[in-house]
Amino acid sequence: MGSNPRTVPAPMIVEDWDQLTFRVNREAYRSAEIFARERGWVWMHTWLYLGHETEIPNPNDFKVRTLGGRPLIFCRDTAGEVHAFLNSCPHRGTVLCRENEGSTRLFQCFYHAWTFRNNGEVAAIPDAGAYESSDEFRASMGLRGVPRLETHEGFVFVSFDPDAPPLLDYLGDAADYMTMIQQQHAGGMTTLPGTQLYSVRGNWKLAVENAMDGYHFAPTHNTFVGYLRESGYAVTDDNQYAYNLGNGHGLLVLTGHGGRISMIWEPRFGEDERVRTEAHRAEMTQRLGEKRAHYVADESHILFVFPNLLLFDIEGLSIRQLEPVAPDQTDVRAWQLVPRDEDPDTRALRMKTVVSFVGPGGLATPDDIEAYEAVQRGIQATAGTAAPELDYSDMSRGMADEAKGVQGRSIDEGAMRGFWRHWIEATGLDDGIEVNGERPASFLAGRDVR
Amino acid sequence: MTAIVNRGAVRCAGRTVTRQEVEDFLYAEADILDHWDYDGWLALFEPGARYEIPTTDHRPGWSPHETGSFVDDDWDLLNARVKRLKSRKAHAENPHSRTHRLVSNVRLSEGDTEDAFRVAASFVVHRARDGHFDAYVGWYDHLLVPTDDGLRFRLRRSLLCHESLAAGARLSFIL
Ligand code: FES
Ligand SMILES: [Fe+2]
């Protein structure tokens, strides 16, 4: 399929190990054809993050959500089992559930009043005798479930491809970072109500790049860094690293960006929190052992799970989901993930701290959004130019180290390169990458954290 | 939100505050914000005051300290926000958005404490930036305190009535 004719003339990626350059064709962010291809290949065949099981804690709970443009019902049936159904009546296609969330045993279509149980079975078809073989007919008319649904540490993923590999195989090394999140608190974690729902005028891949880009932190977040410094905290980019985890997943390990509620204290958290942090850290060491507790507690992680999940395990924990709407527009949904058994003071401090950084009203995220919205506007400058070689963005930073086998820093662009290499495969654009010179073997090196 | 009684005045801290006085205060605030006078804006708060914007899926009774929100500023963060907005390095607001605010449907009621009262009002904020013109619509749910120097915010809360924030409509300015 990679040889399908397409209108993008030049390679999507040019990777050159002689020149140590890596360039991405800006059509990738603009083209309607590429966007359609992403919908058909990436969103139809990979695992997609749907939601967290704590969003629907009780039998009969449901949320509606759109993935890859498809309306879905994410629900727990009366027996407690989690499902994802197409939110579309099997009769003539009407959106079945028109509430965003709630609790129900039955979903009834308002159009002709067909009714379905929350495990997908048909509950009632009015005047079913009008159908010739009404029992078989009825049996064939259950809600259409997504072909695959699997859960890891409470994170629920779906795939529209029945042949997708097992979720854990797909997650690979990313799975353990999700386990670390679950291990942060003995009582486990839960999502909270109060979802940040917002949309940006930028391609979804720019949001991924931004999250995997430590290089922008100091200049873009100058005012936020200033606030941290004033509150008595040193901010540094030293000893911070980026990892490709395979399958397009990426990880930034950060040790210099502010504290972590209940794990790394800093002055702006106040004295009470210092005492609580020490106690929690001691409990973690006992529960997890010194080494594992160190990885769980002492470093911040920004984890990207290809293609639509970002976990910001920083001051607090934000789950961010990306839903591409158009080449130049992305819907973002963000939930706060918190310890289930947290005392109210810590919870209040956590919420304030997380929201002060993350989200469209924070002191930092608006500048990120400004950055990638500005990229989306700026890259029109070289569209369709007579010198197509100018229509590329540069992501070469850190390749010199990579060629020497030195671990990439968070302020390099290695995690982005890992993303783009996988994107080429996932979109089936096999001929879309041009590699010159010899790719070093070390760029997929993992990390032993156990 | 507590029940709102529509009336022309409320008793607070031993004196009567009229709706006209509150309206004048809110109109002056709108003018200050539309003219990007952030020192003037901060002067409208009592020390220790808060600024909050719940998420668009907010339900009555939710506390921002127990749920996700867009803005949950205590006094330190509010000061940091103002300082940031005055900086050339607040990239999301450089150049500044242009805003135009309408405040209406002002209603007064007693607060939970003797020294403060509650104000509900409707707002429409239009914002021009990057070649787009966005409307933000919602309700204010404020706690005000009368002082010798006039009214001051103890809590300034903006509740959006949108289902989500539209593309480009991030809250990098004051809503
Ligand atoms: S379309 Fe749903 S009952 Fe007819
Ligand atoms: Fe950023």
Side-chain angles (χ1 to χ4, degrees):
Chain A
M1 290 289 282
S3 57
N4 273 0
R6 56 176 204 273
T7 52
V8 179
M12 297 309 297
I13 294 176
V14 183
E15 176 177 340
D16 189 325
W17 288 98
D18 298 324
Q19 307 293 322
L20 296 176
T21 56
F22 190 100
R23 300 186 310 140
V24 174
N25 191 318
R26 292 173 175 172
E27 270 304 294
Y29 311 104
R30 291 186 305 242
S31 153
E33 186 186 334
I34 296 283
F35 184 81
R37 202 172 177 101
E38 289 174 337
R39 274 275 172 92
W41 284 67
V42 182
W43 259 258
M44 279 303 283
H45 295 290
T46 56
W47 284 98
L48 302 171
Y49 178 63
L50 172 64
H52 199 270
E53 62 185 10
T54 59
E55 291 181 71
I56 47 168
N58 307 308
N60 306 323
D61 284 353
F62 72 87
K63 302 254 173 181
V64 305
R65 193 149 293 161
T66 301
L67 278 187
R70 291 163 196 271
L72 300 175
I73 301 172
F74 173 34
C75 69
R76 200 179 278 277
D77 68 24
T78 305
E81 198 178 329
V82 172
H83 300 270
F85 299 113
L86 304 185
N87 188 6
S88 175
C89 181
H91 179 221
R92 298 247 293 277
T94 312
V95 164
L96 188 60
C97 178
R98 294 171 300 133
E99 302 283 341
N100 287 328
E101 58 187 325
S103 171
T104 188
R105 287 165 183 273
L106 297 171
F107 294 101
Q108 185 176 54
C109 180
F110 78 97
Y111 201 1
H112 311 93
W114 288 26
T115 307
F116 306 86
R117 286 188 247 284
N118 58 9
N119 63 4
E121 290 166 8
V122 174
I125 295 177
D127 192 19
Y131 297 98
E132 186 83 59
S133 50
S134 99
D135 285 351
E136 287 119 86
F137 180 74
R138 181 188 173 111
S140 72
M141 280 295 173
L143 292 181
R144 313 306 187 210
V146 295
R148 300 285 296 280
L149 182 147
E150 288 182 30
T151 300
H152 175 58
E153 303 288 14
F155 296 89
V156 181
F157 290 80
V158 296
S159 180
F160 296 114
D161 182 350
D163 299 323
L167 176 64
L168 273 182
D169 292 356
Y170 177 75
L171 292 175
D173 283 347
D176 192 40
Y177 289 89
M178 299 163 88
T179 299
M180 280 195 217
I181 287 170
Q182 194 60 22
Q183 288 177 332
Q184 288 184 0
H185 295 270
M189 307 289 281
T190 184
T191 51
L192 288 182
T195 310
Q196 294 175 342
L197 302 171
Y198 59 102
S199 188
V200 295
R201 292 189 183 107
N203 186 275
W204 67 278
K205 299 186 288 301
L206 294 170
V208 177
E209 287 177 3
N210 176 265
M212 291 290 102
D213 174 14
Y215 188 24
H216 81 278
F217 189 80
T220 300
H221 302 304
N222 177 285
T223 58
F224 189 74
V225 171
Y227 160 68
L228 293 180
R229 291 224 163 91
E230 273 168 33
S231 69
Y233 197 78
V235 181
T236 163
D237 281 328
D238 295 344
N239 302 316
Q240 306 201 108
Y241 297 98
Y243 296 85
N244 287 311
L245 302 180
N247 283 347
H249 315 321
L251 174 75
L252 293 192
V253 174
L254 307 170
T255 51
H257 288 183
R260 289 158 66 67
I261 300 293
S262 70
M263 289 189 270
I264 300 175
W265 182 82
E266 61 172 85
R268 69 179 157 132
F269 297 162
E271 277 304 304
D272 290 351
E273 173 65 4
R274 197 163 61 80
V275 176
R276 293 190 295 255
T277 300
E278 278 168 15
H280 178 241
R281 190 65 173 77
E283 182 276 325
M284 283 184 85
T285 308
Q286 193 170 33
R287 180 163 47 91
L288 302 173
E290 184 55 60
K291 186 178 177 197
R292 181 72 171 177
H294 164 70
Y295 286 122
V296 172
D298 300 342
E299 47 184 44
S300 295
H301 300 140
I302 299 179
L303 178 68
F304 169 62
V305 178
F306 190 92
N308 72 335
L309 173 64
L310 282 157
L311 293 171
F312 292 85
D313 182 3
I314 49 176
E315 285 110 317
L317 236 150
S318 285
I319 302 171
R320 190 182 289 173
Q321 183 186 50
L322 303 174
E323 165 71 1
V325 175
D328 59 354
Q329 189 180 324
T330 307
D331 282 352
V332 185
R333 306 152 188 160
W335 298 264
Q336 308 309 331
L337 189 66
V338 304
R340 208 183 284 277
D341 314 315
E342 193 167 49
D343 69 274
D345 289 349
T346 317
R347 177 68 55 80
L349 176 67
R350 174 188 299 278
M351 299 322 292
K352 167 192 121 170
T353 306
V354 170
V355 167
S356 76
F357 184 101
V358 178
L363 302 185
T365 299
D367 293 329
D368 290 314
I369 300 172
E370 175 75 13
Y372 51 83
E373 288 191 346
V375 170
Q376 193 72 46
R377 296 199 305 279
I379 59 172
Q380 289 302 330
T382 48
T385 167
E389 70 277 8
L390 299 182
D391 196 28
Y392 282 84
S393 288
D394 184 88
M395 280 167 223
S396 312
R397 197 171 154 87
M399 281 175 84
D401 273 354
E402 217 167 87
K404 286 183 233 148
V406 174
Q407 181 57 53
R409 301 172 302 168
S410 66
I411 51 172
D412 293 333
E413 290 162 341
M416 281 176 234
R417 294 191 288 274
F419 165 76
W420 278 106
R421 287 189 195 102
H422 184 76
W423 178 85
I424 285 287
E425 281 175 40
T427 49
L429 290 162
D430 305 329
D431 62 345
I433 184 163
E434 183 184 309
V435 182
N436 304 317
E438 188 120 354
R439 193 185 268 177
S442 61
F443 73 81
L444 261 179
R447 192 168 177 255
D448 172 26
V449 295
R450 288 184 184 85
Chain B
M1 228 182 300
T2 50
I4 301 297
V5 183
N6 194 7
R7 62 179 99 155
V10 71
R11 287 285 298 173
C12 184
R15 77 172 171 94
T16 299
V17 183
T18 65
R19 187 162 69 214
Q20 187 179 345
E21 190 180 347
V22 173
E23 285 174 347
D24 285 346
F25 176 78
L26 295 177
Y27 298 162
E29 190 218 8
D31 197 51
I32 282 170
L33 285 171
D34 287 345
H35 290 89
W36 208 263
D37 170 14
Y38 277 110
D39 289 324
W41 186 62
L42 202 56
L44 300 179
F45 287 75
E46 74 169 9
R50 305 184 53 87
Y51 168 46
E52 299 173 356
I53 305 179
T55 49
T56 48
D57 61 351
H58 171 267
R59 300 226 202 103
W62 282 9
S63 157
H65 320 307
E66 291 159 14
T67 65
S69 55
F70 287 133
V71 173
D72 182 19
D73 282 358
D74 62 8
W75 182 238
D76 286 346
L77 276 170
L78 178 57
N79 277 270
R81 183 177 296 274
V82 164
K83 179 165 186 199
R84 165 182 148 73
L85 283 170
K86 286 163 60 184
S87 158
R88 238 175 10 93
K89 298 284 181 69
H91 306 293
E93 284 296 327
N94 180 27
H96 300 167
S97 299
R98 288 207 223 178
T99 60
H100 181 261
R101 290 153 205 269
L102 298 171
V103 180
S104 169
N105 301 20
V106 176
R107 289 149 294 161
L108 318 184
S109 62
E110 264 90 35
D112 300 333
T113 57
E114 217 303 278
D115 61 337
F117 64 100
R118 200 146 219 124
V119 173
S122 289
F123 64 79
V124 180
V125 181
H126 287 100
R127 176 213 209 182
R129 185 170 157 77
D130 293 339
H132 293 277
F133 197 53
D134 295 303
Y136 301 77
V137 178
W139 303 272
Y140 286 133
D141 174 21
H142 298 329
L143 269 182
L144 294 187
V145 286
T147 76
D148 293 343
D149 299 324
L151 301 175
R152 292 289 181 271
F153 287 110
R154 176 164 293 171
L155 169 67
R156 188 186 184 288
R157 185 190 275 145
S158 312
L159 290 149
L160 286 159
C161 104
H162 304 225
E163 289 182 306
S164 65
L165 284 181
R170 56 187 147 68
L171 299 171
S172 49
F173 65 113
I174 302 295
L175 187 62

